[in-house]
Amino acid sequence: MADAIFQVAQAQQAKYLMEESVWTGWPFAGTGNASSLSTGTTPLINLKDWNVKGSPTWRAEVSMIQTSRDTAGTTFLTYSADSADNPGLTSAPGNTAAAHTRFLQEPAKVAGVYNVQAQLVNNNASATANWQTNFGMRLRRLTAIDKLLAQRDGLSGGAGQWYALTAAELTALQNLNVLDASGDVTMSGLDALKSIVDAGYGGPNSAEWLRENLFRGRAYQETPDWFYPSTTSSSANFAGYTADLRRTATGGFAGRFPILIRLGIPGASNVAVPISRDNSTYVTVQGMGFQQVDDSDWHFWLPAIDTLQLNAKTGQGGTDGSYGIRVQVAQCSMSDTLAVLFGLVKDRTELSDPYVFDKAIAGLFI
C-alpha cells in the first residue's frame, strides 16, 4: 500500500496560526501522462498523534473534497476523526457514485487533534483509469479558550483531558483574571469571558472569522496575478513575494507579509507547481488535478514571514511548454496580536503592553 499523501510530516509544517492548502492525488498509481486508482485501499490522509498527548497545539481538518465518480457504486471515499469530537462517527459512508458530476469542490469539516484519516477503497476487479481526488487540509493553532470550551463540552477522551492547558496558557488566563492562582475559573473571570465570547471576540472562532477579522481587515492588496511560465524538467521560480517586517519600539512587529489565498491552473495543464514558504517547499500541486468544470480556483491560506515562492516544472509524462497559472496573494499588515500568534513574540515581557500577549495566547482577539 502506498503512503498517504498527507501525514504527520506535512501537518508539522504548520507555523502561523492558521494554514490551508490543497493536496492533489494525480496520478495515483498511473504512469506517464495518465492517472489510475489501484484496486483495494489507497490512503489519502493518515494523521495520528501529531500533537502532544493530552495537550494539543494544532487542530487538523479536511476542509474540501473533490473526487471522480464511480457510477457503478463500487469505489468509496471514507474518513474518520477523533471519536470525542465526532460522536458516533467511525467511518463515514462515501460512495463516490454520489460525487459531483462536474468534479466540483465540496466544502467539508472533518476535524481532530489526535486522529484524522481518509482513504479511497476501490472494489472493482481492476484499476480505474483517469481517477482523480483532491482535498483541502486546514491546520489551526488552538488557544486557551478553545481548550476551555472543549473541556466544558466534555471532550475528555477517556483517561485524562484531551485539551489540557499548557503552562503558558494557564499563566495568560491567570493574568487576565479568568483563572485564580489554583487554576480554577473565577466568577468575575467567567462573566468577563462570557461577555467577550458573546460579543464574538473569542472562543472557537471559525476559519472564516479569523480570516475576516484578524487578517483581511489588515490587507492592503489581494491582487489577481496571472502568469504564463515556461516549464522544463527543472523547477523554476515564476512568482515571488517577500515580507517586510521590523521590530517596533513597543516590542512588537510592524510591516507587511504575504498570504497565498488562491491558485488556479486552467485547462488541467500537465504542470507541477511546488510552493515554497520561508525557503522550504510546503506542497507541490499537480495541474492535471485542476479538473473542475467551473474552473473555480483552489483556496489556500499560506502566510509567510520571509518569502513566498511559486515554481513551475513539467509534470510527469508531460511536455515542456508554457501554461497559464492564476495566483492571488494578500499583502497584510502585521499586528502585535498576530506577532504573538505567529511566534515572533515569545514572552509577554517583550511587549510594552504585556496584556496583548496574554489575550492572544488566551484567544481573546480584542
Side-chain angles (χ1 to χ4, degrees):
M1 184 186 300
D3 292 336
I5 298 169
F6 194 94
Q7 304 181 70
V8 172
Q10 284 71 45
Q12 290 176 339
Q13 295 183 111
K15 295 180 179 180
Y16 308 131
L17 179 59
M18 183 181 73
E19 303 183 2
E20 185 171 0
S21 54
V22 171
W23 299 77
T24 48
W26 190 91
F28 287 109
T31 59
N33 191 18
S35 178
S36 65
L37 182 67
S38 299
T39 58
T41 300
T42 298
L44 299 174
I45 302 164
N46 182 19
L47 271 184
K48 192 171 179 62
D49 296 336
W50 73 96
N51 278 311
V52 175
K53 199 71 174 178
S55 185
T57 303
W58 292 88
R59 183 178 66 208
E61 60 186 61
V62 183
S63 58
M64 180 276 290
I65 284 286
Q66 55 181 163
T67 190
S68 300
R69 295 177 70 223
D70 178 357
T71 55
T74 53
T75 301
F76 295 82
L77 171 64
T78 63
Y79 52 84
S80 59
D82 291 348
S83 57
D85 282 354
N86 300 275
L89 173 62
T90 53
S91 184
N95 195 313
T96 62
H100 285 293
T101 58
R102 299 190 299 159
F103 199 67
L104 300 181
Q105 300 176 64
E106 180 77 29
K109 186 172 183 178
V110 183
V113 295
Y114 295 117
N115 177 58
V116 179
Q117 307 283 325
Q119 51 275 320
L120 290 162
V121 181
N122 182 2
N123 293 319
N124 290 296
S126 59
T128 303
N130 302 317
W131 190 271
Q132 176 59 24
T133 299
N134 306 321
F135 56 92
M137 286 299 297
R138 179 182 298 141
L139 279 296
R140 185 166 90 75
R141 181 181 289 276
L142 297 171
T143 66
I145 301 304
D146 291 319
K147 296 180 181 181
L148 285 180
L149 293 178
Q151 291 176 22
R152 180 201 65 182
D153 292 337
L155 303 182
S156 58
Q161 287 287 349
W162 277 25
Y163 290 89
L165 296 170
T166 65
E169 290 163 349
L170 280 168
T171 299
L173 291 174
Q174 288 168 344
N175 290 334
L176 295 169
N177 295 319
V178 175
L179 300 181
D180 62 21
S182 300
D184 297 322
V185 177
T186 65
M187 288 307 299
S188 60
L190 186 60
D191 289 341
L193 178 58
K194 285 180 178 178
S195 65
I196 291 171
V197 172
D198 289 344
Y201 294 111
N205 299 118
S206 67
E208 292 74 21
W209 189 97
L210 292 172
R211 278 195 290 259
E212 295 303 320
N213 291 276
L214 277 188
F215 290 96
R216 279 222 162 101
R218 307 186 65 82
Y220 285 90
Q221 300 185 64
E222 294 184 9
T223 58
D225 297 336
W226 296 351
F227 299 94
Y228 193 58
S230 298
T231 65
T232 65
S233 59
S234 300
S235 180
N237 173 254
F238 71 88
Y241 304 85
T242 304
D244 178 23
L245 299 178
R246 63 187 183 279
R247 202 88 195 220
T248 65
T250 59
F253 282 80
R256 302 183 187 184
F257 63 96
I259 306 174
L260 175 64
I261 58 177
R262 290 178 183 269
L263 178 67
I265 308 173
S269 304
N270 194 355
V271 56
V273 181
I275 301 171
S276 176
R277 189 269 300 278
D278 293 345
N279 303 305
S280 177
T281 299
Y282 192 94
V283 61
T284 297
V285 296
Q286 301 291 339
M288 290 292 284
F290 193 83
Q291 298 178 13
Q292 49 267 35
V293 175
D294 65 357
D295 197 40
S296 58
D297 291 343
W298 282 322
H299 292 273
F300 282 74
W301 194 265
L302 190 57
I305 62 169
D306 186 6
T307 59
L308 178 66
Q309 292 186 321
L310 288 87
N311 303 282
K313 64 179 181 179
T314 305
Q316 175 181 301
T319 58
D320 297 345
S322 297
Y323 303 98
I325 301 176
R326 298 191 299 265
V327 178
Q328 190 169 22
V329 170
Q331 294 287 348
C332 288
S333 170
M334 181 59 72
S335 69
D336 287 354
T337 295
L338 285 174
V340 173
L341 296 168
F342 279 24
L344 296 171
V345 175
K346 303 182 186 303
D347 190 273
R348 71 193 305 267
T349 60
E350 296 179 42
L351 297 175
S352 59
D353 182 357
Y355 288 104
V356 170
F357 182 92
D358 297 328
K359 290 176 182 177
I361 295 297
L364 305 177
F365 306 130
I366 55 176

